[in-house]
Amino acid sequence: MTICRTRGAGFAALLSLLLPVAASAAEVHVYSFREPKLMEPLFEAFTAKTGIEVKTVFAKDGLIERIVAEGANSPADVLLTNEFGLLTQARDAGITQPAVTPAIEADVPAAYRDPAGHWIGLTRRARVVYASKARVGQAAITYEELADPKWKGKICARSGQHTYNVALVASMIAHHGAADAETWLKGVKENLARKPSGGDRDQVKAIFAGECDLAIGNTYYMGLMSTNAKEPEQKDWAAAVKVLFPNAADRGTHVNLSGAALMKNAPDKDSGQALIAFLASAEAQATYAGANHEYPVKEGVAASDLVQSWGTFKPDPIALEEIAKLRRQASELVDKVGFDNGPSS
């Protein structure tokens, strides 16, 4: 809209007509790796609270590269990720800017924020072991045990190159060194029941079908399956599986984050910061916990009753930044051992 130059009271009157319209038309543009059905209820709540509309681009991959290519002309204000490594990748690509405000500092512990404010953790998820209730009697396990020959032909997994598994391998390098991590990964590969494929839900389905006894997956998938009214067969899959928190008796279970980053060239920085602050607030954290069955990052916000029923979650205290630095080495290790080729014949 073009506004003609006028003088005095006439100009003031014109502004009084335009400003309410501009305020109601405020928008924040979000590029999201997270699934629409997980985020849309939160976006709707944000709009109801602030009047700011949320415009979204959802994609499973390629969003960071897209923002880099768009450069200064990118419409993205906020990037939402489903995994911590993508947050550091965005920061290292030079497309983020500090987003920490006093409200965000109060809501998100320092351990789940970039020291310079370039990324903010929003939810935690544990990378656990799914185990058959019928065929696995033990109630405790370690990641290291997954390489034990007693599990030969009994483990299912998605691709070792998926970002969730790369992070887990990186954590094993951090704890044991590259050589021992390689030996471990070879052992897990030899224990696979089949060539890695599908997503975390598919691993639960495979346990239900008797194709394997154990699998590696994120906790929140179990919550989503257990409460899936639209696809009730997933409830049956989940009912056949129990959650084991690896290394609960020692260092703790590998933890990952979903999170947000404010884009360097955000057209509306203020609305972007407002959205991130809302997503970190107690209100949004409670929604994450109840609807998405994730662990809140904000202290004092409880996990859902279903999540709490699985047992105590003791997070591995190793710094996520340390794990992020080992991601490339972990990815190379996955290829080196031929993990995605499946078990040797």
Side-chain angles (χ1 to χ4, degrees), residues 166-335:
V166 169
L168 175 60
V169 175
S171 75
M172 295 299 287
I173 296 174
H175 281 291
H176 298 293
D180 285 351
E182 179 178 348
T183 300
W184 170 78
L185 195 57
K186 287 179 179 177
V188 178
K189 174 192 172 185
E190 291 307 309
N191 286 343
L192 292 175
R194 63 182 188 185
K195 183 177 180 179
S197 64
D200 284 10
R201 286 182 177 90
D202 296 300
Q203 314 316 315
V204 177
K205 181 181 180 180
I207 293 175
F208 170 79
E211 297 174 21
C212 48
D213 292 349
L214 301 178
I216 303 168
N218 282 349
T219 43
Y220 74 93
Y221 284 109
M222 282 294 293
L224 295 175
M225 287 185 291
S226 298
T227 58
N228 193 332
K230 293 184 178 180
E231 299 176 84
E233 67 276 10
Q234 292 193 11
K235 292 184 178 182
D236 295 332
W237 306 347
V241 171
K242 59 185 175 182
V243 173
L244 301 181
F245 290 92
N247 301 83
D250 46 76
R251 69 172 184 268
T253 300
H254 172 61
V255 62
N256 210 315
L257 293 175
S258 75
L262 182 66
M263 295 297 91
K264 180 179 180 180
N265 296 309
D268 191 341
K269 175 182 177 180
D270 290 342
S271 292
Q273 281 189 310
L275 176 61
I276 294 173
F278 172 77
L279 294 175
S281 69
E283 176 183 350
Q285 292 282 303
T287 299
Y288 275 123
N292 299 343
H293 303 290
E294 298 180 88
Y295 291 94
V297 295
K298 180 176 173 58
E299 295 177 0
V301 179
S304 70
D305 290 342
L306 175 61
V307 171
Q308 292 184 56
S309 74
W310 298 332
T312 302
F313 168 37
K314 176 186 176 183
D316 186 341
I318 195 165
L320 293 177
E321 283 284 357
E322 183 176 349
I323 292 174
K325 293 175 184 177
L326 296 170
R327 288 179 63 88
R328 175 177 291 183
Q329 187 176 10
S331 176
E332 292 171 350
L333 201 60
V334 169
D335 282 344

Side-chain angles (χ1 to χ4, degrees), residues 22 89 130 249 277:
Q89 182 182 337
Y130 303 146

Side-chain angles (χ1 to χ4, degrees), residues 16 31 34 62 74 91 97 110 166 199 205 208 223 232 237 300 330 335 344:
S16 70
Y31 283 14
R34 303 220 63 187
S74 177
R91 179 198 62 194
Q97 64 174 306
V166 169
K205 181 181 180 180
F208 170 79
W237 306 347
D335 282 344
S344 301

Side-chain angles (χ1 to χ4, degrees), residues 51-73:
I52 302 172
E53 294 290 335
V54 182
K55 303 295 183 180
T56 54
V57 173
F58 291 99
K60 292 183 177 180
D61 51 46
L63 290 177
I64 293 173
E65 293 80 2
R66 175 172 172 171
I67 295 170
V68 170
E70 290 171 342
N73 296 318

